[in-house]
Amino acid sequence: MNVPVSGKQKTSRRKIMTIPFPHTPLRFAATMAASVFMAGAVMAQDVTIKLSTVNAPTSESWLAAQVAAERVTERTEGRVAFQLFPSAQLGSTTDSIEQASQGLPVMTFTSASFLASFDVPELSIVEGPFVIANSEEGERLAFSTLMQGFYDKLAAGAGVRVVALNWFDGPRHMIGNAAYPTPDALKGVRMRVPPVETWLKTFEPMGVVATTVQAAEVYAALSQGAVTAAESPLTGLRASGWHEVAKEITLTGHFNLFTGWVISEATYQALSEGDRAILMEEFRLGGQALTKTSADLEGEIRKEFEAQGVTFHEADIEAYRAATAGFFTSFPNWPAGLYDQARAAATGTE
């Protein structure tokens, strides 16, 4: 089931539009941040938000984001409008977060592990290997008291407000030119790994040669042999087309990323209390819709891929669990007992 994109809006005064602007220079940030913050300090105002992602416009997460954005605009009667920037048109995920942090009216798709680098290291716990059993645990953890404390710390320290981190697009698997049924098979493999601590501390101990490649460039890197492996959920693989140039998928399910949307705190504060609530509600619902869509599509995508010559391989999950167990003791700046707190929040026993 594909997430539908809403049709014409009946009540909104402004339309959502996709504008292929180039990367916004960060030197603009100081001026823009000051104007947004000062206006928000006086009164709630109409806001046009730049919705940004590095994902392709065909990705399920982007389709769901358009629906959520349209609903926000409609319910706020046009007071909150959006311009759409898929495919890294505003730069990398880090670029967009930095723009939001400096007060620009930017809302970007990211993950907890990226946010952890903004002086909230505790957030990286949720993206440890095999830390949740399913998306139901993920939803509970994403909106737990534990996580809300981390979100507030991020807003106060970095000027970035979490809107919703429950956009689960399915467990991530490995794709490459060979099968990786056990961790030993990864030794010496040139794998595309984002320059994020959680990824690096998961894969490097297994002997992977971690190679940084932007998401939009992975297709070319795989086809040219610059990397020989990558990892992604099945929905992401279909959207990016990586399966066209790498024909072996190993079902490791090593991560279920806590992805979702964050916004400039200055922009968030410029909204009325009611419009903030609408923004939060619709993007939480959008995450739930994406989670369901991703689960529904997995079987369909597998059949589609197999018809295109892709071979699926089972993985020794217990071997992978053992190989990655050191992850949870590799963060000296985590508070004591953080893993147990996260598990309690995920299982509803916090």
Side-chain angles (χ1 to χ4, degrees):
M1 177 181 73
N2 287 321
V3 179
V5 177
S6 299
K8 293 183 179 179
Q9 301 172 39
K10 297 180 180 179
T11 59
S12 57
R13 295 194 297 267
R14 285 179 279 187
K15 300 288 187 178
I16 296 174
M17 51 190 162
T18 302
I19 300 177
F21 287 168
H23 181 102
T24 302
L26 286 179
R27 58 177 173 271
F28 255 178
T31 301
M32 292 295 293
S35 62
V36 169
F37 181 80
M38 291 303 294
V42 175
M43 60 168 49
Q45 59 176 329
D46 290 4
V47 172
T48 298
I49 298 168
K50 295 180 178 181
L51 202 67
S52 172
T53 182
V54 298
N55 292 337
T58 55
S59 67
E60 294 299 331
S61 62
W62 187 243
L63 297 178
Q66 291 179 77
V67 174
E70 287 174 355
R71 288 174 177 166
V72 171
T73 298
E74 183 172 2
R75 289 182 62 191
T76 62
E77 299 181 338
R79 293 185 300 275
V80 181
F82 297 84
Q83 294 176 335
L84 307 185
F85 297 88
S87 301
Q89 291 176 19
L90 293 187
S92 68
T93 297
T94 299
D95 291 336
S96 294
I97 295 173
E98 288 177 349
Q99 291 172 39
S101 178
Q102 295 178 48
L104 287 169
V106 171
M107 186 167 162
T108 192
F109 192 69
T110 186
S111 72
S113 52
F114 273 90
L115 297 175
S117 64
F118 287 79
D119 295 324
V120 191
E122 301 94 333
L123 273 172
S124 56
I125 182 65
V126 300
E127 292 191 351
F130 309 104
V131 76
I132 58 172
N134 49 52
S135 59
E136 288 79 13
E137 286 192 0
E139 173 85 10
R140 193 178 296 118
L141 179 53
F143 294 97
S144 65
T145 301
L146 176 70
M147 291 291 281
Q148 188 58 56
F150 300 153
Y151 300 159
D152 290 343
K153 181 178 177 182
L154 181 72
V160 175
R161 171 68 58 176
V162 171
V163 176
L165 279 184
N166 66 327
W167 287 56
F168 301 108
D169 55 0
R172 298 177 77 88
H173 307 294
M174 298 187 191
I175 186 169
N177 59 9
Y180 311 110
T182 65
D184 288 344
L186 287 173
K187 290 181 179 177
V189 171
R190 295 191 309 279
M191 181 176 233
R192 183 263 174 169
V193 178
V196 178
E197 197 170 21
T198 48
W199 263 279
L200 295 172
K201 288 191 173 185
T202 296
F203 290 107
E204 287 184 338
M206 292 187 285
V208 164
V209 179
T211 306
T212 298
V213 179
Q214 293 296 331
E217 299 170 354
V218 176
Y219 186 103
L222 284 168
S223 64
Q224 296 167 10
V227 296
T228 56
E231 49 86 57
S232 173
L234 294 183
T235 53
L237 291 176
R238 183 165 75 171
S240 63
W242 297 353
H243 64 289
E244 297 171 0
V245 291
K247 296 295 185 180
E248 310 294 330
I249 295 177
T250 306
L251 299 171
T252 52
H254 48 278
F255 291 151
N256 202 326
L257 293 188
F258 281 66
T259 57
W261 297 89
V262 298
I263 191 171
S264 158
E265 176 70 355
T267 302
Y268 178 78
Q269 293 298 335
L271 303 177
S272 69
E273 185 175 349
D275 288 351
R276 289 178 211 156
I278 290 170
L279 180 73
M280 294 292 203
E281 179 182 352
E282 290 298 343
F283 275 85
R284 179 171 185 171
L285 291 172
Q288 292 170 349
L290 174 66
T291 300
K292 184 179 186 304
T293 296
S294 298
D296 291 346
L297 283 173
E298 285 186 357
E300 173 188 321
I301 293 172
R302 178 164 180 168
K303 290 180 181 179
E304 178 185 310
F305 281 11
E306 287 174 335
Q308 296 177 40
V310 174
T311 301
F312 285 79
H313 306 271
E314 298 298 323
D316 185 340
I317 300 301
E318 290 308 311
Y320 272 99
R321 284 183 184 274
T324 57
F327 174 93
F328 297 103
T329 58
S330 64
F331 291 82
N333 51 358
W334 279 1
L338 182 58
Y339 175 77
D340 291 336
Q341 293 175 44
R343 286 298 302 151
T347 55
T349 59
E350 67 174 344

